[in-house]
Amino acid sequence: MKPALEDLNRCFQGVIPCSIATCSKSGVPNITLVSQVKLIDARRVALSCQFFNKTRQNVEENPRACLQIYDPLTFDAYRLLCRFDHSEKEGPLFDEMSLRIDAIASHTGMSGIFRLLSADVYEVLELERIEGFLRPPEPCDEPELAEKPPGPITELRGLQSVSSSINLARDLGELLESALDALDRLFHFSHSMVLLPDETGRRLFTIASHGFGESGIGAEVSVGEGLIGTVAEQRRLISMSATDELLRYGRAVRDRVSATDGSAALTPEIPLPGLSDARSHMALPLLLRDKLVGVLAVESRDPLCFQRWHEAFLAVIGNQIAIGIDHMQSRDDEELEPPSQLAPAPGPAAQRTRVFRFYKNDDCVFVDGEYLIRNVPGKILWKILKEHQAGRETEFSNRELRLDTTLGLPPIKDNLESRLILLRKRLEQKCPDVRIVPTRRGRFMLEATSAVVLEERECG
């Protein structure tokens, strides 16, 4: 049976680079690899044009081209006989293809250098499977594992389950953790994270992660830098397969640029948070109308982990998470509950002594000489440590923190709860014998089972 273009989606995910062959008017051939080929519809594909001077020259003289694409699972090869139609330098198609390249360029420190010049649209005149490209497989006695395609009922039930987990959450921390856990349990997205903007809006910090252990909590990414930063800046979903191949291609271009006079324009490479060997990435902005609430990022070592329906599915989940975050931040600070709901008093202090040092110039807090936290969460910690040590207060409320102008919380939508969650998790990692314990909605207490020494210094 003759293959259909729309059935070859795996071939367009970039796991195995495609090649394009063109010919000049005088008959001189040229073959080169293509960094991105996008399936538009049943009759058209688009190729990213970055450095293809010879290819562009050839198709302007002779608009015929031959593409060769490969299925990364079966290794079947397909030949596409095409005719160059037109180039797009703006519009939705160009923007979508450019976004992926911009993310790789930002990650490899080549913003403004490694960029999309145009999206070249080709009409597919003929499609054929290349027979005999591989030897037939050796006979095997083991039964074939049937691929389990996701059906609409499975997707709908999964969406319902994730939605219920979000709806039943009692606070922001539980909302994020339950959502990421449900994505793993139901759809095997085993490595994911949620990042929220800080008080400046110029950086994102990791407030919840799944599959990475606790090491990722508090990790920061600048808006506009790397994959996640690009998603936050452009406020558009990015899904990339075979990320290692794209980065290798970008680094090869970087090496070539660094060997020329253009090396001064290069910036340091931005490390991707999460798995060091991830081969698929998907990141989407969490938006509430035109406001960026955060970024949901999912990654995998499987180069073909994400299918096209995942984008729409995660967009729905992302909308619910964004609404949930906004709802948690907008709730009343306190909900009256009986005093018996309060957490038990801390036990007797142990012999260990913890030394907390606060640097006033940049609002950083270190514990026992190791960095703990900074900015608004650092100032909050220092305030409650001093109050606790002086014996003036053991229980604190969100309301009193908001009224303290020295903390620098914005007057509207301060995201105080997210900062307290980050602070609580960082203490659990670095100093588990000093804890922030929620007592009731909008209230918490500081517990210390070790002696605490406070030092305040200037930087430098």
Side-chain angles (χ1 to χ4, degrees), residues 408-460:
L409 287 165
I412 301 175
K413 294 292 184 183
D414 52 41
N415 294 340
L416 175 60
E417 187 172 359
S418 66
R419 288 157 171 81
L420 291 174
I421 291 171
L422 176 61
L423 176 56
R424 185 172 74 243
K425 290 185 176 182
R426 290 293 291 173
L427 284 171
E428 289 173 357
Q429 292 174 17
K430 303 294 184 181
C431 185
D433 42 351
V434 176
R435 299 177 295 278
I436 288 180
V437 181
T439 56
R440 46 184 165 172
R441 183 183 297 176
R443 299 191 70 86
F444 62 91
M445 48 189 311
L446 184 73
E447 289 185 355
T449 54
S450 62
V452 173
V453 173
L454 304 183
E455 298 178 355
E456 195 165 315
R457 294 187 183 181
E458 302 280 348
C459 288

Side-chain angles (χ1 to χ4, degrees), residues 47-63:
L47 277 62
S48 59
C49 177
Q50 293 152 265
F51 309 106
F52 298 160
N53 296 331
K54 185 60 178 174
T55 299
R56 170 56 61 81
Q57 180 182 338
N58 283 353
V59 296
E60 287 177 353
E61 296 179 359
N62 174 19

Side-chain angles (χ1 to χ4, degrees), residues 268-317:
E269 184 168 334
I270 306 299
L272 285 171
L275 296 174
S276 60
D277 56 349
R279 301 191 67 193
S280 293
H281 290 84
M282 185 182 294
L284 63 152
L286 304 176
L287 299 172
L288 193 64
R289 293 179 291 277
D290 60 345
K291 176 188 174 185
L292 179 71
V293 177
V295 173
L296 170 63
V298 186
E299 57 187 44
S300 172
R301 294 184 175 93
D302 179 0
L304 293 171
C305 177
F306 303 123
Q307 302 176 38
R308 297 184 71 177
W309 69 269
H310 287 148
E311 298 182 16
F313 176 82
L314 284 179
V316 175
I317 295 298

Side-chain angles (χ1 to χ4, degrees), residues 40 44-50 52 55-57 59-60 83-91 93-94 97 116-123:
I40 300 177
R44 296 180 301 162
V45 295
L47 277 62
S48 59
C49 177
Q50 293 152 265
F52 298 160
T55 299
R56 170 56 61 81
Q57 180 182 338
V59 296
E60 287 177 353
R83 179 173 58 211
F84 176 73
D85 188 76
H86 68 280
S87 293
E88 296 188 13
K89 297 185 178 181
E90 59 182 7
L93 174 63
F94 177 85
M97 297 182 71
L116 184 66
L117 300 178
S118 66
D120 293 346
V121 178
Y122 288 78
E123 180 187 4

Side-chain angles (χ1 to χ4, degrees), residues 73-88:
L73 292 186
T74 65
F75 293 102
D76 287 332
Y78 299 87
R79 183 181 295 116
L80 283 64
L81 300 181
C82 305
R83 179 173 58 211
F84 176 73
D85 188 76
H86 68 280
S87 293
E88 296 188 13

Side-chain angles (χ1 to χ4, degrees), residues 297-369:
V298 186
E299 57 187 44
S300 172
R301 294 184 175 93
D302 179 0
L304 293 171
C305 177
F306 303 123
Q307 302 176 38
R308 297 184 71 177
W309 69 269
H310 287 148
E311 298 182 16
F313 176 82
L314 284 179
V316 175
I317 295 298
N319 287 338
Q320 291 195 294
I321 294 175
I323 293 171
I325 292 173
D326 183 72
H327 172 68
M328 294 295 180
Q329 301 288 6
S330 303
R331 296 189 314 181
D332 293 335
D333 279 345
E334 299 181 35
E335 183 179 83
L336 294 179
E337 294 178 3
S340 59
Q341 297 289 327
L342 297 178
Q351 294 299 314
R352 181 170 186 175
T353 299
R354 291 285 194 175
V355 179
F356 288 85
R357 184 175 298 152
F358 180 67
Y359 290 92
K360 295 189 290 185
N361 301 55
D362 58 2
D363 302 322
C364 275
V365 179
F366 283 68
V367 58
D368 297 338

Side-chain angles (χ1 to χ4, degrees), residues 166-209:
I166 295 172
N167 187 52
L168 294 173
R170 292 166 294 181
D171 55 42
L172 180 59
E174 185 176 331
L175 182 151
L176 298 176
E177 290 174 6
S178 62
L180 298 186
D181 178 71
L183 288 176
D184 182 10
R185 179 166 36 85
L186 297 165
F187 295 97
H188 308 295
F189 296 150
S190 55
H191 295 88
S192 57
M193 66 184 82
V194 173
L195 301 93
L196 303 184
D198 68 3
E199 55 273 6
T200 69
R202 295 190 296 270
R203 296 185 69 81
L204 304 165
F205 63 90
T206 308
I207 188 174
S209 68

